[in-house]
Amino acid sequence: MPLTLRQRNRLAAMHHIIETAMDLFDEHGYSAVTVEQVAAAAGVSPRTFYRYFGTKEGLFATDTHAAVGQDLLAEQLDLDDLPGTLQRIVASVYAAAAPSGEVAAHTPWRGMRYVLEEPAVREAVYTALDDLAERLVAALRSKGVTPTQARVTVRAYLFGVYFGALEQWHLDGRVRPLPDYVQQGSAVLARPPADSNSSR
Amino acid sequence: MPLTLRQRNRLAAMHHIIETAMDLFDEHGYSAVTVEQVAAAAGVSPRTFYRYFGTKEGLFATDTHAAVGQDLLAEQLDLDDLPGTLQRIVASVYAAAAPSGEVAAHTPWRGMRYVLEEPAVREAVYTALDDLAERLVAALRSKGVTPTQARVTVRAYLFGVYFGALEQWHLDGRVRPLPDYVQQGSAVLARPPADSNSSR
DNA sequence: CGCTATATGGCAGTAGGTGTCATATTGACA
DNA sequence: TGTCAATATGACACCTACTGCCATATAGCG
């Protein structure tokens, strides 16, 4: 069932505010722009901004991760193949946002710069990853995986492979396609990682 | 060369503030206690509090992770055996703080409750882990490990194994010793994790 | 067309955090 | 031991993120 008018208006308004905010951030820097300025530039009251996003950093957590996560995750999730799931979702989002191989000034990669460079934004995304991890852990546990195993595995993929790939991709200047990094990252976990005699 | 008097006074003052703060947190809850109240109860000005800890959450990032990390890491770090290094450090800190097997109301485990239960505190610790990860990645790279491999490995151990173990340990009521969880967590990464053909 | 639910804006207030300057304390050195 | 420079502290003013509350407007439905 499609969205009601109110919901569509709400999403459109949020999108507009996000774009407006990113323009201001790109011009003056993240911390130099106040919520009041964003709200004014977008033509809403500060109070409305907070109703939409909760916090200044909510601009990023709402859009990039949560929204994408909801739709794609539901249809792509395969609890028996976490690396594959991650790979498919990232590839899908990346391809949609970067059709020509170039990452344009587009959602959801436009704001990624601030996710990786602004500690406050990064922290907000970490919290979003925490929530996602909690749901995935619950799903894995309902399939009989032990708590510790489920938790460590999910967190290793989200915080290690996914965010690590994102970070390295950004640090390398966003030249090579992001899915390549995710691929490599998964390979690291697939074989006993980075030491001579593994655990012990 | 040992610490100068100023440094020792500073550390003592910080310790006192931390203990005072934890008392207040335990009594009224983290978010219900203001920095102003902590400062007043500890007998310092709010300005001094911020000079010491930077933020309210700095109470946790400064003590638990950074301080321990500096001393122990330097002597325990073995870049060829990350899981072993993690295991030794956690075991060492855990044994020192819980000599009898019980985790007393002691640094650095006393505040751990808020690290795991208060999102703002958790985020601050994540940022501390980010810093530590960056240093470890640099060290690994200088040994010839590729960037992606180094980053994913380090983050998988810090955010996956270490923090995941901490979280599960806390969720389980802190009954079993923490090092056991770290041990199990490392084992998860040591063999290809969480997909159809291995685990479960 | 009118009614109800929901969305918005304005206002006042709380709390976290910083720059600045004056004052006190410390530690080194004569 | 007394003096002086370096450093630590406190007081004040200020900014900004964020919230509760209430009045008002707008959308959607019968």
Side-chain angles (χ1 to χ4, degrees), chain B residues 117-186:
Chain B
E117 293 179 359
E118 293 291 333
V121 180
R122 180 186 280 249
E123 289 180 348
V125 171
Y126 278 158
T127 295
L129 285 185
D130 267 334
D131 293 344
L132 176 56
E134 208 52 49
R135 272 179 282 145
L136 290 178
V137 166
L140 274 184
R141 289 190 57 176
S142 74
K143 284 179 56 86
V145 181
T146 69
T148 299
Q149 183 154 21
R151 197 169 293 275
V152 169
T153 301
V154 166
R155 295 181 63 90
Y157 274 108
L158 289 181
F159 289 84
V161 176
Y162 172 59
F163 205 94
L166 217 49
E167 198 174 27
Q168 194 61 47
W169 168 74
H170 180 73
L171 287 174
D172 287 350
R174 304 179 168 205
V175 180
R176 288 171 47 212
L178 175 58
D180 286 5
Y181 287 89
V182 175
Q183 181 86 36
Q184 285 190 330
S186 289

Side-chain angles (χ1 to χ4, degrees), chain A residues 79-83 119-120 122-124 126-127 130 134 137 140-141 143-145 147-149 151-153 155-157 159-161 163-165 167-168 171-172 176 181 184-186 188-200, chain B residues 78-84 87-88 119 122-124 126-127 130 134 140-141 145 147-149 151-153 155-157 159-161 163-165 167-168 171-172 176 181 183-196 199-200:
Chain A
L79 288 176
D80 292 323
D81 181 20
L82 253 38
R122 180 187 278 249
E123 288 180 348
Y126 277 157
T127 294
D130 267 334
E134 209 51 50
V137 167
L140 273 183
R141 290 191 56 176
K143 283 179 58 88
V145 181
T148 299
Q149 183 154 25
R151 198 168 293 275
V152 170
T153 302
R155 295 181 63 90
Y157 274 108
F159 290 84
V161 176
F163 205 94
E167 198 174 27
Q168 194 60 48
L171 287 174
D172 287 350
R176 287 172 46 210
Y181 287 90
Q184 285 190 331
S186 290
V188 172
L189 290 200
R191 77 202 66 235
D195 66 313
S196 37
N197 44 359
S198 72
S199 65
R200 160 175 44 156
Chain B
D78 176 1
L79 287 176
D80 292 323
D81 181 20
L82 252 39
Q87 183 73 39
R88 284 193 300 276
R122 180 186 280 249
E123 289 180 348
Y126 278 158
T127 295
D130 267 334
E134 208 52 49
L140 274 184
R141 289 190 57 176
V145 181
T148 299
Q149 183 154 21
R151 197 169 293 275
V152 169
T153 301
R155 295 181 63 90
Y157 274 108
F159 289 84
V161 176
F163 205 94
E167 198 174 27
Q168 194 61 47
L171 287 174
D172 287 350
R176 288 171 47 212
Y181 287 89
Q183 181 86 36
Q184 285 190 330
S186 289
V188 172
L189 290 200
R191 78 201 69 233
D195 58 325
S196 44
S199 60
R200 157 173 77 122

Side-chain angles (χ1 to χ4, degrees), chain A residues 67-140:
Chain A
V68 169
Q70 293 305 45
D71 296 344
L72 275 183
L73 195 63
E75 63 186 52
Q76 292 284 357
L77 180 59
D78 176 3
L79 288 176
D80 292 323
D81 181 20
L82 253 38
T85 300
L86 178 59
Q87 184 72 39
R88 283 193 300 277
I89 291 182
V90 169
S92 161
V93 175
Y94 187 82
S100 61
E102 290 258 325
V103 173
H106 250 35
T107 334
W109 304 111
R110 180 177 186 187
M112 197 52 79
R113 177 182 156 202
Y114 301 104
V115 171
L116 293 163
E117 294 178 359
E118 293 291 333
V121 179
R122 180 187 278 249
E123 288 180 348
V125 171
Y126 277 157
T127 294
L129 284 185
D130 267 334
D131 294 343
L132 176 56
E134 209 51 50
R135 273 180 282 145
L136 290 178
V137 167
L140 273 183

Side-chain angles (χ1 to χ4, degrees), chain B residues 19-36:
Chain B
E19 291 299 308
T20 306
M22 295 304 161
D23 290 342
L24 290 175
F25 294 160
D26 287 346
E27 188 174 1
H28 304 109
Y30 178 75
S31 56
V33 177
T34 70
V35 170
E36 205 167 354

